[in-house]
């Protein structure tokens, strides 16, 4: 992503630092990740410190400074998910994709990651895949997905 593209997004939000989340979401949506080498540009345009921007990026699981794949799978790792079979679902994802949690497939297409509660405790194990909720997961459903 070029500095010009970043500037265009910043202009869209009128360089308003209270819109940092919106700006980061837009960059992430357009680029697939927030380029680490553009954090200073973002911070400077918003009259913020780079540390403030980096803290925001690192706090939220859905932001990343490197590619997480075209399809990003976030599997809930809460206690309820564990009690309802998360371990087998996680193993199925790793087997089907040929990579471990926290990694992206060799072709860069799919990444699998842990995340905390996604608000679906009554339908665990559950995952977010590109923002869409998938509930009551089983090893079989993982193969279908």
């Amino acid at each position: 992503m070029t500095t010009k593209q970043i500037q265009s997004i910043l202009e869209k939000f009128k360089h308003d630092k209270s819109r940092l989340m919106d700006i980061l979401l837009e960059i992430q949506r357009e680029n697939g990740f927030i380029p680490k080498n553009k954090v200073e540009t973002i911070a400077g345009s918003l009259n913020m410190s780079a540390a403030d921007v980096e803290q925001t990026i690192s706090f939220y699981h859905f932001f990343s400074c490197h590619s997480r794949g075209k399809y990003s799978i976030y599997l809930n790792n809460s206690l309820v998910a564990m009690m309802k079979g998360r371990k087998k679902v996680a193993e199925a994802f790793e087997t089907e994709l040929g990579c471990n949690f926290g990694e992206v497939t060799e072709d860069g297409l799919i990444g699998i990651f842990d995340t905390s509660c996604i608000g679906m405790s009554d339908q665990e194990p559950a995952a977010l895949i590109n923002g869409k909720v998938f509930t009551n997961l089983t090893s079989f459903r993982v193969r279908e997905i």
Side-chain angles (χ1 to χ4, degrees):
M1 180 164 246
T2 67
T3 299
K4 186 176 180 177
Q5 291 169 309
I6 298 274
Q7 287 298 340
S8 176
I9 292 168
L10 289 160
E11 287 169 18
K12 177 180 175 181
F13 293 100
K14 299 179 176 25
H15 300 270
D16 180 355
K17 68 180 172 184
S18 71
R19 303 290 306 272
L20 176 61
M21 289 290 290
D22 295 317
I23 291 164
L24 295 175
L25 284 167
E26 184 87 8
I27 293 168
Q28 182 98 7
R29 232 183 332 270
E30 284 193 21
N31 193 57
F33 63 97
I34 299 157
K36 184 90 169 142
N37 64 347
K38 301 299 182 194
V39 169
E40 288 284 341
T41 301
I42 297 164
S45 290
L46 299 176
N47 199 28
M48 301 175 72
S49 73
D52 285 336
V53 175
E54 288 172 353
Q55 284 178 325
T56 302
I57 293 168
S58 66
F59 181 79
Y60 294 99
H61 79 271
F62 46 81
F63 289 138
S64 177
C65 287
H66 55 13
S67 176
R68 291 204 171 183
K70 181 177 180 181
Y71 302 99
S72 297
I73 301 168
Y74 292 94
L75 184 62
N76 185 354
N77 63 2
S78 70
L79 182 58
V80 174
M82 297 293 195
M83 291 170 40
K84 291 191 166 189
R86 183 203 186 273
K87 183 177 180 189
K88 286 186 180 185
V89 169
E91 289 170 355
F93 271 119
E94 289 180 329
T95 299
E96 292 299 315
L97 296 173
C99 68
N100 296 319
F101 272 79
E103 298 177 352
V104 177
T105 56
E106 284 186 28
D107 61 6
L109 193 59
I110 304 170
I112 52 174
F113 308 95
D114 291 311
T115 191
S116 58
C117 183
I118 60 173
M120 303 304 294
S121 293
D122 62 327
Q123 299 173 63
E124 292 298 344
L128 290 171
I129 303 176
N130 284 15
K132 183 176 180 186
V133 178
F134 289 77
T135 59
N136 298 307
L137 292 172
T138 63
S139 298
F140 178 77
R141 285 203 62 218
V142 166
R143 285 189 291 279
E144 288 182 322
I145 293 168

